[in-house]
């Protein structure tokens, strides 16, 4: 199975992603940004990826770092899960 688990912790964020590319569209997204969580859930459901994400960020500053670092980590998870891309 093409799967990956990745984590990222910075001064601004603490995020973990568990991804299965060959999934069924199952998801568990924990984020304090409702619309962002909804978009990640829709992405998983329509793309038939299984995603578990826990997203914590410095929302007292703004949402920028939280969403940016989530995108970075999600990209890393896909790259890792795809392996040699065969």
């Amino acid at each position: 199975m093409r799967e990956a688990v990745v984590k990222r912790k910075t001064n601004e964020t603490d995020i973990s992603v568990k991804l299965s590319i060959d999934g069924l569209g199952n998801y568990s997204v924990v984020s304090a940004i409702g619309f962002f969580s909804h978009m990640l859930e829709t992405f998983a459901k329509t793309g038939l990826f299984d995603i578990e994400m826990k997203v914590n960020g410095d929302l007292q500053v703004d949402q920028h770092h939280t969403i940016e670092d989530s995108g970075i980590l999600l990209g890393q998870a896909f790259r890792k899960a795809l392996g040699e891309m065969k």
Side-chain angles (χ1 to χ4, degrees):
M1 278 262 316
R2 298 179 298 170
E3 298 179 329
V5 175
V6 291
K7 297 179 182 186
R8 177 179 175 93
K9 185 170 179 141
T10 68
N11 290 335
E12 294 85 16
T13 62
D14 185 0
I15 304 167
S16 64
V17 175
K18 181 179 179 184
L19 169 71
S20 176
I21 292 176
D22 305 306
L24 300 172
N26 298 318
Y27 55 82
S28 172
V29 177
V30 178
S31 161
I33 307 170
F35 182 71
F36 183 55
S37 296
H38 169 69
M39 294 306 294
L40 291 169
E41 292 164 354
T42 301
F43 177 66
K45 185 176 180 179
T46 60
L48 297 177
F49 308 117
D50 291 346
I51 298 176
E52 291 180 27
M53 286 186 75
K54 293 181 184 170
V55 181
N56 292 301
D58 60 350
L59 299 179
Q60 73 279 8
V61 176
D62 67 15
Q63 299 174 358
H64 172 93
H65 294 124
T66 303
I67 294 173
E68 178 181 44
D69 286 3
S70 294
I72 290 168
L73 201 59
L74 196 53
Q76 290 174 351
F78 271 97
R79 179 174 225 165
K80 185 176 179 181
L82 287 168
E84 295 180 21
M85 296 186 211
K86 292 183 179 181

